Amino acid sequence: MVAIIKCRDYEIDYLKFLEELHQSRRYDWEWTFTRRRDQWSKGRHLLLIASMDTYGRFWITRVGKSVRRGGAKDQEQQVRVTHVRPLRRPLALDELLNGLTTVQRRHLLEEGHQTKGTGEALRALLLRFRPEATEAVKLIEGATEPWDFGNRRAAQEVALQRDATLAVTRMAGFQIPWLAEWDPPAEELYDDTVPPLFLDLVGGSNHPDEPLEEPDPHLRESSVRSDGLSNQPALEDHLVMNDTRSMLGWLSDETSHVAWREFREHGRTLLVANANRTPAERLLGCDIIFYNVSRHSLVLVQYKKLDAARGGYYYPNSDRNLAKELVRMRSLDRYAEMQAGPGDEQRLDPSPSWIKLCHPRSVLPHTTEMIHGMYFSRRQFESLRDDGRLKDGRGGAVRFGYKNVPGYLDNTFFTRLVETGQIGTTGTSTDLVRQQVIRSFRGRRNLVLAALSGEEEPQAKRNAQRRAGH
């Protein structure tokens, strides 16, 4: 979304004062102004900041990120601005507006939040006239102030679900920076209720830079729902394979608390679901189930937390649920091994079961940054439990931490291996995926389920598209 503000003299003077005050500091600062309430909608916007010269002509001198705050008085609204970045070459506002079509100008507001079509046109024109502002615009669109939620368990579950959602998009090789644009829950979170779903906090799945291929007229936006949390929307997309359709049925059978988003890129479709039905106090963590429909490949990741944000450890012998979870993983790995055939694709590791040990979070950033963590295959994890190098806790207790684990995969390495088909099962049936979905719910775990369908291009072509930023 895009908005315009025409600064008054005292406002631009104060803005300059803030810039000079914070010039030598590395952290961000904020600026607040007041305008008519009907000009500013909920959400975050790329803000074009215009100031008037001595001849009465307005120039866009800065860009920033704006978000509506509480009402000031009567019909006035406070707007908070962060991530203000100056343009090296100011752009005359009328020059920018002259580039709009007649229809777009008809919907133009002199100040405030613009309509989607007009806003996208203004953004494109700004970057065409001032291409050097591209980096600043992308920074603003991909980052806002973080959400500091402390130690609330329900918020921790939202953080894990957010991380898992980002992980599956990277496993698919998709670039979805607008997942950073979300709104923290307005209400207080309670552990004895089902936590909100991360995807329910994300505004919409479309973005100005998203390369959509001719939208299906039958597709209904999955973010439209009657109460925002618990009503599963119908998803009608004739381009999605039947296997993916059946997954919607599995989720609706198991829970009424689910959020879906669809993403498309380069002829492929990625459906991502966040689902749970358990209060936070009874949740035992988060599972990722990533299913590549065209390659019949399955990857399951189970989250475990280190006991501190810095220098923390995970103690497997203190985890009362681990034994049952490892039984489930061994069963899944054995089944996948039995189903593999000599004609299937070769993998570096064809086992589906993985574990991610990650830091607990108390702050959720408005970026696409994932939680730092260590990935282990189930076999590697069990092997390390018997490794003498990890028996360095009190009384020789086994513990996993950055300081003693000899080797692991990080976020980038792991998701890249999944994307390129180097790890994951072969020949997996949708029935097996369904079994794992049901087991996740029976195990009282948060679930992020993703299904990737469509023709997959050679890796070299995908790499070229990534470098080109498409």
Side-chain angles (χ1 to χ4, degrees):
M1 298 296 186
V2 174
I4 298 175
I5 175 68
K6 291 183 176 180
C7 292
R8 297 153 187 170
D9 288 343
Y10 67 88
E11 289 174 331
I12 200 65
D13 289 342
Y14 183 60
L15 190 53
K16 289 177 180 177
F17 166 75
L18 289 174
E19 287 176 328
E20 292 174 2
L21 179 65
H22 296 278
Q23 188 173 19
S24 61
R25 304 187 183 184
R26 292 181 180 271
Y27 59 83
D28 211 348
W29 47 273
E30 66 178 66
W31 168 53
T32 302
F33 63 84
T34 303
R35 287 295 188 274
R36 280 173 35 202
R37 187 172 302 170
D38 58 0
Q39 296 174 323
W40 300 89
S41 66
K42 181 183 177 182
R44 293 173 172 80
H45 308 290
L46 170 64
L47 182 66
L48 310 184
I49 304 172
S51 56
M52 190 168 56
D53 64 14
T54 54
Y55 302 101
R57 190 184 189 191
F58 278 97
W59 294 77
I60 300 173
T61 55
R62 299 164 178 82
V63 290
K65 188 85 173 183
S66 68
V67 61
R68 191 176 69 176
R69 300 187 72 175
K73 60 178 182 179
D74 296 334
Q75 300 302 313
E76 292 193 339
Q77 178 72 51
Q78 271 194 341
V79 180
R80 176 171 170 264
V81 184
T82 57
H83 296 82
V84 176
R85 299 292 184 270
L87 296 183
R88 293 204 302 267
R89 296 183 297 144
L91 174 64
L93 181 59
D94 54 7
E95 181 181 352
L96 180 74
L97 301 184
N98 287 338
L100 297 174
T101 66
T102 303
V103 174
Q104 290 164 350
R105 289 185 67 88
R106 192 177 303 149
H107 296 284
L108 178 70
L109 291 179
E110 183 178 348
E111 274 195 315
H113 163 227
Q114 307 299 320
T115 62
K116 185 175 184 292
T118 300
E120 290 177 1
L122 288 171
R123 181 186 184 276
L125 287 167
L126 173 69
L127 297 184
R128 190 176 82 191
F129 292 142
R130 296 294 184 267
E132 66 272 18
T134 301
E135 184 177 351
V137 168
K138 287 186 175 181
L139 172 69
I140 289 165
E141 291 176 333
T144 61
E145 291 301 302
W147 176 41
D148 190 344
F149 55 79
N151 296 319
R152 286 178 289 174
R153 186 161 182 174
Q156 291 277 355
E157 295 302 325
V158 176
L160 288 182
Q161 211 169 70
R162 169 191 172 277
D163 188 77
T165 302
L166 292 172
V168 295
T169 61
R170 295 186 184 183
M171 292 182 202
F174 280 36
Q175 298 179 0
I176 310 179
W178 54 100
L179 282 178
E181 298 181 8
W182 63 285
D183 286 310
E187 71 282 357
E188 187 175 353
L189 300 183
Y190 297 95
D191 291 348
D192 58 354
T193 58
V194 178
L197 301 168
F198 170 68
L199 281 180
D200 261 325
L201 303 176
V202 177
S205 61
N206 291 340
H207 186 272
D209 291 335
E210 184 179 7
L212 284 176
E213 291 123 4
E214 297 186 12
D216 189 328
H218 298 287
L219 178 64
R220 280 188 281 175
E221 172 56 55
S222 58
S223 64
V224 177
R225 50 184 66 235
S226 62
D227 66 2
L229 281 179
S230 61
N231 290 326
Q232 179 181 351
L235 184 64
E236 301 172 1
D237 185 355
H238 300 299
L239 300 179
V240 178
M241 297 182 66
N242 289 332
D243 289 343
T244 307
R245 287 179 183 274
S246 64
M247 291 180 190
L248 286 165
W250 304 339
L251 282 173
S252 62
D253 290 342
E254 291 296 319
T255 179
S256 61
H257 195 63
V258 62
W260 277 91
R261 289 290 184 277
E262 177 194 64
F263 306 100
R264 295 186 191 176
E265 192 171 296
H266 307 303
R268 296 184 299 162
T269 299
L270 177 68
L271 289 176
V272 182
N274 292 175
N276 63 35
R277 61 175 180 177
T278 306
E281 62 185 358
R282 294 171 49 210
L283 278 169
L284 302 178
C286 183
D287 279 352
I288 294 176
I289 297 178
F290 179 80
Y291 181 48
N292 189 323
V293 178
S294 59
R295 303 180 79 160
H296 301 287
S297 181
L298 171 69
V299 173
L300 183 143
V301 182
Q302 190 162 109
Y303 279 73
K304 297 289 183 181
K305 290 182 186 177
L306 305 176
D307 62 359
R310 291 187 178 181
Y313 290 93
Y314 169 71
Y315 294 83
N317 295 340
S318 300
D319 187 344
R320 291 178 296 178
N321 303 300
L322 179 62
K324 291 181 180 178
E325 291 164 348
L326 286 176
V327 168
R328 170 195 176 190
M329 291 184 180
R330 289 190 206 104
S331 174
L332 175 60
D333 288 351
R334 281 197 301 268
Y335 184 91
E337 187 176 3
M338 291 169 55
Q339 298 301 309
D344 290 336
E345 288 186 67
Q346 295 300 307
R347 307 275 198 249
L348 294 176
D349 191 332
S351 300
S353 302
W354 291 76
I355 293 173
K356 179 180 182 180
L357 303 182
C358 58
H359 294 304
R361 297 296 292 263
S362 61
V363 175
L364 203 56
H366 283 276
T367 68
T368 54
E369 170 196 350
M370 291 180 63
I371 300 174
H372 299 300
M374 300 177 280
Y375 293 83
F376 306 94
S377 67
R378 192 266 311 167
R379 287 189 178 91
Q380 182 187 12
F381 179 85
E382 292 191 306
S383 175
L384 287 172
R385 289 184 67 183
D386 298 325
D387 193 316
R389 290 171 291 184
L390 272 65
K391 297 178 180 179
D392 57 1
R394 291 182 179 179
V398 175
R399 60 181 185 174
F400 285 70
Y402 281 95
K403 295 178 181 178
N404 65 353
V405 169
Y408 59 89
L409 300 182
D410 60 17
N411 288 321
T412 302
F413 203 2
F414 175 77
T415 55
R416 190 80 170 110
L417 287 174
V418 177
E419 181 207 342
T420 55
Q422 301 304 309
I423 57 179
T425 64
T426 58
T428 299
S429 66
T430 56
D431 185 59
L432 177 58
V433 182
R434 176 179 178 275
Q435 292 174 26
Q436 298 311 311
V437 169
I438 294 173
R439 288 182 179 180
S440 288
F441 283 118
R442 288 178 179 170
R444 300 203 309 273
R445 301 188 66 82
N446 245 320
L447 177 64
V448 173
L449 171 64
L452 177 65
S453 59
E455 188 173 346
E456 196 161 295
E457 296 171 330
Q459 182 179 336
K461 188 170 183 179
R462 297 200 307 272
N463 290 345
Q465 290 167 342
R466 181 184 288 106
R467 287 192 296 269
H470 295 154

